[in-house]
Amino acid sequence: MNARETAWRIFAGELNASSLEKKGEDEKSVSYVITPLGTMVNRVLVCGVLTEKENIGTDDEPMWKARVQDVTGSYFLNVGRYQPEAAAAMANLDTPSFVAVVGKVRTYSPEEGRVYVSLRPEKMMSIDGDTRNMWVLDAAESMWDRLLKLRKTVSNPDANANALIGMGLTAQEAEGTILAHEHYGDPDSSRYLSVLQSALRMLLPDRTIDLGLPEEVPDAPEEIEVEGGDNDSGMSALDKEDVILRLIEELDDIHSKGAPRAEIDRRAAMEGISEAEVEEISDSLMDKGLIYEPNLGYLRKI
């Protein structure tokens, strides 16, 4: 047990942006995925909403594919016969539900130049919303710590591992940040600060509170950029999210399959929200783990 690697609390947004792997020298050596913030990841502990699961094997020999969403994106899971404990748990988990997953990180490249990250769970379990929220806080704190340590590497580009260790980094942190900086270049700190703000706001009663971090960052999955015309409704992005969530809840009470997207579009237009905005807001809410698609063309709150 002592030889096991740290199970990192890490957001999907950081993990899925990884494209660098450090292979072990032999079959028994540990391999790592190195994230843009310099985290050398072999194992993770992640929490989120289990939104999809499918047994692509047989009843006697199941092979599960699943997706778990956190506030920044999705983790993709593969569970087979070599993970019997996780496979047994998966069979009994409902969608949607809050889950915790401990597992190893794997990469695969179906085409040259593209690297994808997936998880091979060792354990899975059902959790409650409070436990998920505590994990969000832990993951945010861990990301903040890594941002500060990577900043030391960026600020001292000529520093070697020993110099960084002298600045307070562990040997593994020094190696990871150096490799990350060489491979990914200077990190887009504003993107990750936006991730932090989005995650922390989810834990607060007032989701519009200003934490002093970047508000809108291009291409950041947790933020919404509204395109096309003037904002005649006078509503902020967060106000529009609240409207869409309310409409989904109201329409779900009427329709057994969930809230029809076409009806959401029609009702949202009456409140000054365009169809394009509804699509963007819906995608953002799914990324945050607040809604899911129970059937094609329908949405439902989690």
Side-chain angles (χ1 to χ4, degrees):
M1 199 69 175
N2 292 334
R4 281 200 170 186
E5 289 288 318
T6 299
W8 288 94
R9 281 69 167 163
I10 186 167
F11 290 122
E14 179 182 351
L15 190 63
N16 290 336
S18 306
S19 59
L20 176 62
E21 187 171 16
K22 181 187 177 186
K23 296 281 190 181
E25 296 179 359
D26 55 57
E27 289 185 1
K28 294 184 178 180
S29 297
V30 178
S31 295
Y32 297 97
V33 172
I34 300 171
T35 76
L37 296 186
T39 318
M40 295 180 63
V41 182
N42 174 263
R43 297 172 71 244
V44 294
L45 166 59
V46 301
C47 295
V49 179
L50 178 66
T51 59
E52 298 176 21
K53 70 172 189 177
E54 180 185 6
N55 181 9
I56 60 172
T58 65
D59 291 339
D60 294 332
E61 194 169 301
M63 172 66 73
W64 293 97
K65 287 188 175 293
R67 180 165 71 170
V68 173
Q69 289 185 352
D70 73 0
V71 295
T72 69
S74 298
Y75 308 93
F76 298 93
L77 282 55
N78 293 288
V79 188
R81 62 179 177 176
Y82 297 113
Q83 301 85 42
E85 187 175 348
M90 178 75 81
N92 295 316
L93 289 170
D94 296 323
T95 57
S97 64
F98 291 116
V99 296
V101 181
V102 178
K104 290 193 174 183
V105 178
R106 291 289 182 266
T107 62
Y108 60 99
S109 301
E111 55 188 272
E112 188 175 351
R114 295 295 300 274
V115 177
Y116 296 92
V117 180
S118 66
L119 304 184
R120 190 182 71 190
E122 299 165 351
K123 292 184 178 181
M124 293 186 67
M125 66 189 72
S126 177
I127 59 174
D128 58 24
D130 289 340
T131 302
R132 190 280 303 265
N133 290 346
M134 287 299 298
W135 177 87
V136 170
L137 189 60
D138 286 345
E141 184 177 11
S142 179
M143 176 179 277
W144 178 254
D145 182 62
R146 293 196 298 280
L147 276 167
L148 293 179
K149 287 174 178 174
L150 184 58
R151 182 179 179 184
K152 292 181 180 180
T153 301
V154 174
S155 301
N156 300 276
D158 297 326
N160 59 22
N162 288 332
L164 292 173
I165 291 170
M167 297 177 195
L169 278 68
T170 67
Q172 189 179 72
E173 288 169 343
E175 181 183 7
T177 57
I178 289 173
L179 290 173
H181 192 224
E182 290 174 350
H183 181 75
Y184 300 106
D186 291 348
D188 181 2
S189 297
S190 61
R191 180 186 184 92
Y192 293 103
L193 291 173
S194 179
V195 168
L196 287 175
Q197 176 147 278
S198 178
L200 293 174
R201 275 177 167 171
M202 197 194 75
L203 305 179
L204 300 173
D206 180 6
R207 293 194 297 128
T208 65
I209 192 169
D210 182 9
L211 299 177
L213 299 174
E215 279 291 344
E216 294 185 3
V217 180
D219 301 324
E222 71 291 341
E223 297 289 341
I224 302 171
E225 291 185 358
V226 179
E227 299 179 357
D230 298 327
N231 181 11
D232 295 330
S233 68
M235 288 188 286
S236 69
L238 288 171
D239 289 335
K240 292 179 181 181
E241 281 192 6
D242 290 338
V243 170
I244 299 304
L245 284 170
R246 172 174 55 80
L247 291 177
I248 290 172
E249 189 168 23
E250 290 175 358
L251 292 168
D252 191 20
D253 290 339
I254 301 171
H255 303 270
S256 60
K257 291 183 178 181
R261 282 180 175 264
E263 185 63 15
I264 295 171
D265 289 340
R266 189 184 71 80
R267 295 273 295 272
M270 295 171 63
E271 303 205 32
I273 303 175
S274 70
E275 186 174 335
E277 288 176 300
V278 173
E279 183 70 22
E280 290 188 44
I281 293 168
S282 299
D283 288 345
S284 177
L285 291 173
M286 281 193 277
D287 286 339
K288 293 177 181 180
L290 297 177
I291 64 173
Y292 72 108
E293 194 171 28
N295 299 284
L296 186 63
Y298 292 82
L299 297 174
R300 176 169 285 165
K301 284 182 67 175
I302 292 173

